[in-house]
Amino acid sequence: MQKYFYLILILTLPSYLWADEFPQITNVYNRQSVSLNGKWKYLIDQAEIGNRRKFWQDKEISNRSELLEYNFETAAQMNVPGDWNSQKNELQYYEGKVWYQKSFPFIKKPGKRYFLYFGAANYHTEVFMNGEKLGEHRGGFTPFNFEITTLINEQNSIVVSVDNTRKKEQVPTIISDWKNFGGLTRDVMIIEEINAFIQDYTLQLKKGSSDELDFTVWVNDNNHVSDNQVTIHIPELNIKEIISVDSSGKATRTIKSENISRWSPQNPQLYKTSFSLENNTLHDEIGFRNIEVEGKDILLNGKSIFLKGISLHEESPFTHGRTHSREEAQMMIDWVKELGCNYLRLSHYPHNEHIVRLAEKEGIMLWEEIPVYWDIEWDNPQTYQYAKQMLNDVIIRDKNRAAVIIWSMANETDISESRNTFLKKLIDFTRSKDDTRLISAALFVHGDGKSRFSRVVDDPFGKNADVISVNQYIGWYGSALPDVIKELEMTIQFDKPFIFSEFGAGALGGFHADSLTRWSEEYQEWYYKETLKMCDRIDQLRGLSPWILTDFQSPRRMLPVYQDGFNRKGLISSEGKKKKAFFVLQEYYNQK
Ligand code: GCB
């Protein structure tokens, strides 16, 4: 009986406990590393036989009489990073398991430690190296890593299964309005470190202070030495301090500096900073700024700002796949700047680190979000764990980026007791990890019956948020045309900054007609003109991130001729061409 009890216990343990992940190593692009990007072999495993037949043993065919019904050696290849959908016709709509394999030689250096790092893989990933399981990870948009020091050899084989099956309890859940790209979607690399190394650090201005830096460092030391010393050096600020870490590897210090030139869109100042432990030095470029709210204002470095933004999915109009490279990030940021933005909503999940870093360099403030999207399983503790884990991981990755000003908890979630509790727990968790940034979520509005287009913003989430954000689509969804937008009345029940996290209308790029014709560029142009006029009437408004920079694919948008698989609300078409509304918003921002 007891035996069964334990068996049941093991089977019901939340699966995140299975993962044998090493705590996230940050600032990976400035570390010594070997890229594993490039061609990987792959096998489609719709029948889910891979786990039973132990694909990870990656057998070579040594005996011609042996029956082996899988074989990486002769398998086709695809690019990593990259979603599978846009690379292979047969995988365009595939949802299920795919096994990846890569062989590579390696020269191990004495005294080094090695870590296998994945920028992201969607959704459930199991990782094996040289026949052994390293662990698994759930969640499609955040990094994870495993220590491989004792496993790595002169010749190696890594086998990874990635499963993008949608499941009720996952985050996001079954339904979403974007394409469920599967695969090893971001960079894969081996990070080289020494026995005791700086695994992570926080360096940002202390909340409410313009001359004190809060610094925390985490050293990972195999020998758990207690007197490791970390030197932090910011030459331009004349800062050089030596700090001893405790036996858990942690040290915290407040560092004073009078001369900080604070980061802002006009002055995206980043300071070259180095962190050293013995002879090992890790470099970064870090900006310092204050972000807070006061009444209805968002204050950046003490001054009220207006967020001139746009929303973005991680999808390229040229590859029709998930973006993952620095070059693609540059392309997006160039468009964002051309539009006149100082702010970008990275929706609806954490985007890759390249775009976050680039936005920061170019002076674009960021909203980052986790895919708590529409109605997920609010009462399921495992669902909460998944959401919390994602939030935790993106905060760890991006906490030193001055550009990130808002952590968003969710998008368009119906109010209920369990949803309110779930989101409140996420808020509390976020504040405990990072009390320097603002908290928000994209909320629904509802009618109050006073008139056809009067709307109230009174979601209880607003009580605990710093910024009240809502999505609204009057003039697109439903039968009303954009001429009714002028009748929209917003009653906002919170004395806090208010932003439109979304509004938008669909247009097929290149389709021209009169402005009454749905799907024409002219309709979308008219919609933007009316909406922006309406925005000017809301004096509590402190920003916008209209929906959306570029068209993107979605299983919900199959209308032939006009949609053909794309959500057409982009200001830039699925071929990368600007639509008329792009210029309406550009003019508005240029005058703002
Ligand atoms: C929304 C959602 C977004 C959709 C958009 C639309 O409110 O937040 O994910 O894509 O509307 O196009 O309807």
Side-chain angles (χ1 to χ4, degrees):
M1 190 59 211
Q2 207 180 10
K3 198 168 77 195
Y4 290 118
F5 172 78
Y6 285 116
L7 184 66
I8 290 167
L9 188 72
I10 287 169
L11 291 176
T12 52
L13 268 180
S15 42
Y16 55 90
L17 290 182
W18 279 90
D20 202 9
E21 282 177 43
F22 191 82
Q24 192 189 142
I25 298 175
T26 56
N27 188 11
V28 291
Y29 293 104
N30 284 313
R31 293 178 190 262
Q32 191 70 36
S33 65
V34 176
S35 171
L36 292 181
N37 290 349
K39 300 280 179 208
W40 286 57
K41 301 280 176 70
Y42 74 95
L43 297 170
I44 303 170
D45 186 18
Q46 199 175 14
E48 305 230 10
I49 54 167
N51 285 80
R52 265 178 289 130
R53 298 203 186 155
K54 301 193 169 65
F55 277 16
W56 60 87
Q57 289 179 345
D58 185 19
K59 287 199 186 149
E60 281 166 30
I61 310 169
S62 49
N63 166 3
R64 71 189 174 93
S65 322
E66 190 181 338
L67 174 63
L68 192 63
E69 285 191 289
Y70 73 92
N71 175 14
F72 284 116
E73 220 176 297
T74 52
Q77 309 193 88
M78 72 170 129
N79 289 324
V80 170
D83 62 88
W84 61 56
N85 316 67
S86 63
Q87 294 193 57
K88 301 284 165 188
N89 280 341
E90 76 268 26
L91 293 172
Q92 160 79 301
Y93 295 111
Y94 180 71
E95 293 187 321
K97 198 171 268 198
V98 170
W99 290 80
Y100 289 77
Q101 190 273 345
K102 190 171 183 75
S103 302
F104 61 97
F106 199 81
I107 301 170
K108 217 167 155 169
K109 298 182 201 150
K112 300 283 184 190
R113 291 171 76 183
Y114 297 99
F115 299 88
L116 179 59
Y117 176 93
F118 296 84
N122 192 33
Y123 181 90
H124 176 211
T125 311
E126 290 182 87
V127 184
F128 305 85
M129 184 169 188
N130 299 335
E132 277 195 38
K133 183 166 179 176
L134 294 175
E136 51 191 278
H137 178 86
R138 281 188 165 78
F141 305 96
T142 42
F144 51 100
N145 41 221
F146 306 94
E147 178 150 19
I148 52 170
T149 310
T150 54
L151 271 180
I152 195 161
N153 288 323
E154 278 171 21
Q155 280 303 326
N156 302 282
S157 166
I158 294 183
V159 174
V160 182
S161 74
V162 186
D163 187 342
N164 70 337
T165 306
R166 287 167 295 128
K167 292 188 180 156
K168 280 201 317 300
E169 71 279 11
Q170 289 180 173
V171 180
T173 182
I174 306 261
I175 323 168
S176 67
D177 189 24
W178 68 85
K179 185 156 180 161
N180 181 25
F181 291 114
L184 294 173
T185 51
R186 293 189 190 151
D187 295 323
V188 182
M189 62 179 105
I190 293 173
I191 298 171
E192 179 187 293
E193 282 299 346
I194 48 166
N195 211 358
F197 71 99
I198 295 169
Q199 181 197 309
D200 188 17
Y201 50 85
T202 303
L203 184 67
Q204 287 284 276
L205 272 174
K206 192 190 199 74
K207 190 181 166 82
S209 166
S210 58
D211 60 3
E212 286 166 297
L213 299 174
D214 270 340
F215 174 56
T216 302
V217 64
W218 290 270
V219 167
N220 191 285
D221 183 350
N222 255 348
N223 301 329
H224 304 286
V225 170
S226 59
D227 58 354
N228 277 314
Q229 296 202 319
V230 172
T231 307
I232 170 170
H233 190 195
I234 314 178
E236 273 183 279
L237 290 176
N238 260 328
I239 291 173
K240 189 164 190 176
E241 300 220 6
I242 301 172
I243 300 167
S244 297
V245 303
D246 64 21
S247 55
S248 74
K250 190 175 166 189
T252 299
R253 169 88 53 104
T254 302
I255 302 170
K256 193 121 177 107
S257 173
E258 304 287 328
N259 313 314
I260 299 171
S261 159
R262 286 178 290 175
W263 184 97
S264 70
Q266 297 74 32
N267 174 44
Q269 162 93 41
L270 300 179
Y271 287 98
K272 288 200 163 52
T273 306
S274 65
F275 308 91
S276 311
L277 180 61
E278 294 186 3
N279 296 329
N280 256 34
T281 299
L282 181 60
H283 297 278
D284 204 347
E285 294 191 0
I286 305 187
F288 307 113
R289 54 95 194 92
N290 302 98
I291 189 79
E292 38 205 344
V293 294
E294 192 180 83
K296 300 182 175 68
D297 286 324
I298 300 175
L299 304 181
L300 177 67
N301 302 326
K303 288 201 200 95
S304 174
I305 43 156
F306 188 87
L307 305 176
K308 299 192 265 183
I310 189 75
S311 298
L312 184 73
H313 261 299
E314 203 175 36
E315 182 177 320
S316 162
F318 297 113
T319 60
H320 296 156
R322 180 148 283 158
T323 57
H324 51 75
S325 68
R326 240 177 228 137
E327 294 69 30
E328 287 167 317
Q330 186 70 60
M331 169 181 83
M332 293 298 187
I333 294 292
D334 287 348
W335 276 328
V336 168
K337 292 201 84 172
E338 191 182 342
L339 192 55
C341 298
N342 61 12
Y343 166 70
L344 179 61
R345 175 183 178 200
L346 297 177
S347 44
H348 283 301
Y349 37 76
H351 288 216
N352 65 69
E353 192 173 341
H354 297 303
I355 197 159
V356 175
R357 285 189 173 260
L358 205 65
E360 180 170 64
K361 268 208 171 89
E362 304 257 4
I364 303 289
M365 296 173 279
L366 295 173
W367 154 305
E368 289 210 76
E369 180 169 341
I370 53 166
V372 173
Y373 184 88
W374 295 344
D375 277 314
I376 63 166
E377 291 199 331
W378 303 115
D379 290 316
N380 185 337
Q382 186 160 67
T383 303
Y384 177 75
Q385 276 310 325
Y386 293 152
K388 181 177 160 190
Q389 188 69 48
M390 286 176 204
L391 199 50
N392 179 64
D393 292 347
V394 67
I395 293 173
I396 289 180
R397 194 192 68 181
D398 294 340
K399 63 189 172 306
N400 294 320
R401 306 281 75 82
V404 180
I405 58 165
I406 297 176
W407 298 123
S408 171
M409 308 290 103
N411 180 78
E412 292 189 345
T413 50
D414 280 322
I415 300 167
S416 72
E417 207 53 44
S418 23
R419 168 273 200 184
N420 296 350
T421 310
F422 188 110
L423 293 187
K424 176 67 170 58
K425 276 188 349 198
L426 281 187
I427 292 182
D428 292 344
F429 171 70
T430 306
R431 292 207 198 280
S432 74
K433 296 273 311 174
D434 176 8
D435 67 350
T436 67
R437 290 179 174 83
L438 309 180
I439 288 182
S440 196
L443 305 175
F444 283 125
V445 286
H446 65 88
D448 63 357
K450 283 194 192 137
S451 70
R452 192 168 159 215
F453 297 112
S454 64
R455 296 287 181 273
V456 186
V457 184
D458 61 359
D459 186 325
F461 178 89
K463 270 193 257 144
N464 302 306
D466 299 303
V467 176
I468 310 298
S469 313
V470 305
N471 298 348
Q472 88 84 28
Y473 283 91
I474 289 171
W476 176 251
Y477 289 123
S479 55
L481 296 177
D483 58 344
V484 305
I485 297 172
K486 57 176 163 314
E487 292 172 41
L488 182 67
E489 291 299 334
M490 282 277 181
T491 308
I492 304 153
Q493 308 245 325
F494 303 96
D495 184 35
K496 296 186 179 188
F498 175 76
I499 66 179
F500 279 118
S501 31
E502 284 179 31
F503 60 74
L508 176 64
F511 171 51
H512 296 284
D514 60 38
S515 56
L516 290 172
T517 308
R518 288 249 179 192
W519 304 110
S520 70
E521 287 199 26
E522 286 70 17
Y523 186 104
Q524 189 191 38
E525 182 186 34
W526 180 34
Y527 171 94
Y528 265 77
K529 284 185 178 159
E530 294 298 331
T531 303
L532 293 171
K533 271 192 257 167
M534 178 273 293
C535 288
D536 284 339
R537 288 194 288 112
I538 303 179
D539 62 62
Q540 198 167 334
L541 191 73
R542 292 295 179 273
L544 321 168
S545 49
W547 197 250
I548 183 167
L549 185 69
T550 59
D551 288 353
F552 61 96
Q553 293 168 88
S554 163
R556 297 165 60 86
R557 311 291 173 178
M558 289 301 170
L559 177 72
V561 181
Y562 297 116
Q563 293 182 314
D564 289 322
F566 283 87
N567 183 316
R568 297 283 181 196
K569 296 191 188 72
L571 295 177
I572 294 175
S573 74
S574 52
E575 276 69 53
K577 295 217 171 69
K578 293 177 191 112
K579 304 180 195 171
K580 292 180 101 176
F582 182 97
F583 301 100
V584 177
L585 187 61
Q586 184 186 53
E587 197 188 329
Y588 182 79
Y589 283 157
N590 287 343
Q591 284 166 9
K592 195 87 190 157

